Amino acid sequence: MEQCGLRRCPDGANADNPLFSRSRSAWAAAARRWITDPTAEGALLLSSIAADCRPITEVAIGRAVTDTIRQTTRSTDFLDALLRFAIAARPPTGFVRDFVVEHSGEHRGDLDLKRGGLRPISALARWLAIATGEVRGSTPERLGHAVDAHLLTVGEAEALAGAFRDIYELLLRQEVAAIRDGREPSSWVAPRDLDPLARRHLRNSFRAISDVQAELDGGWKMRMRKA
């Protein structure tokens, strides 16, 4: 019988995993531990997951986690380690060619819009949210909070927000077209199948993401001191 509903997380982030089944006090203690000791096993990944939590039930537990992240002093070592974890998600841009695509397998010649486009922006916005202590809100809202905290310039925030919007729209168009054609929706796209304008917008979006990643990687501490 075919099962319906949400798919289980292949990486194990499911409610029946003891790692994600804790009391309110245990969650708060864990969140403090992640932030004060970024070298602890899973600290960077789990703090990132917790910062993105959207509680549906037991809202008080979800708030306890985000409040702990906001209220706990975030050390330079923690933020530096978390930033490097965040910018490990890189857009598929190359120095010679416009895009870095898959070289083999069923997606040869394609690139993943979610992994290569949306994920780098959302990961960076998540880091900015934790750095500012304002962990609630959507990705565009987090970019706006970062401007208020002087961790992003207005131009950088607008570039990231525009890239996020453009890539999302392209992804939705691809998925709608797949459904209409009776195909399985996918986040993979072949740049060769895009019209010149869409290809140029996608290339510019990826470059904008890379530019902001590089600027923060080299200068976030100075920006934080000026905040």
Side-chain angles (χ1 to χ4, degrees), residues 82-161:
L82 188 63
L83 176 59
R84 296 192 179 282
F85 180 76
I87 64 176
R90 300 279 186 178
T93 56
F95 292 105
V96 179
R97 294 179 298 173
D98 290 340
F99 302 104
V100 176
V101 297
E102 294 293 303
H103 295 295
S104 61
E106 75 174 293
H107 294 296
R108 182 179 180 182
D110 300 346
L111 56 85
D112 189 338
L113 291 175
K114 285 186 178 179
R115 186 181 67 188
L118 298 181
R119 181 182 172 189
I121 302 173
S122 61
L124 197 54
R126 188 183 306 116
W127 177 84
L128 290 163
I130 294 175
T132 61
E134 186 56 69
V135 294
R136 296 168 188 167
S138 64
T139 291
E141 288 171 339
R142 288 173 168 180
L143 297 176
H145 295 322
V147 173
D148 296 336
H150 305 292
L151 280 176
L152 285 183
T153 66
V154 172
E156 289 169 342
E158 290 178 347
L160 289 176

Side-chain angles (χ1 to χ4, degrees), residues 161-227:
F164 191 77
R165 180 186 61 249
D166 289 347
I167 295 170
Y168 225 124
E169 288 178 354
L170 177 58
L171 174 61
L172 288 177
R173 289 198 300 271
Q174 293 284 117
E175 292 185 339
V176 168
I179 292 172
R180 286 175 175 169
D181 294 342
R183 296 181 282 110
E184 182 74 19
S186 171
S187 61
W188 292 89
V189 63
R192 63 184 178 278
D193 293 339
L194 300 176
D195 63 67
L197 181 60
R199 200 160 50 242
R200 183 166 66 251
H201 281 170
L202 186 59
R203 180 176 61 249
N204 291 341
S205 293
F206 288 159
R207 287 178 176 170
I209 299 167
S210 292
D211 289 345
V212 177
Q213 286 180 328
E215 288 294 326
L216 282 177
D217 189 26
W220 76 268
K221 294 177 186 176
M222 182 64 70
R223 297 185 185 198
M224 185 72 79
R225 284 194 288 268
K226 293 179 179 179

Side-chain angles (χ1 to χ4, degrees), residues 2-16 114 175 183-187:
E2 183 178 354
Q3 295 183 345
C4 299
L6 297 175
R7 296 179 180 178
R8 292 177 58 82
C9 174
D11 296 322
N14 300 295
D16 59 352
K114 285 186 178 179
E175 292 185 339
R183 296 181 282 110
E184 182 74 19
S186 171
S187 61

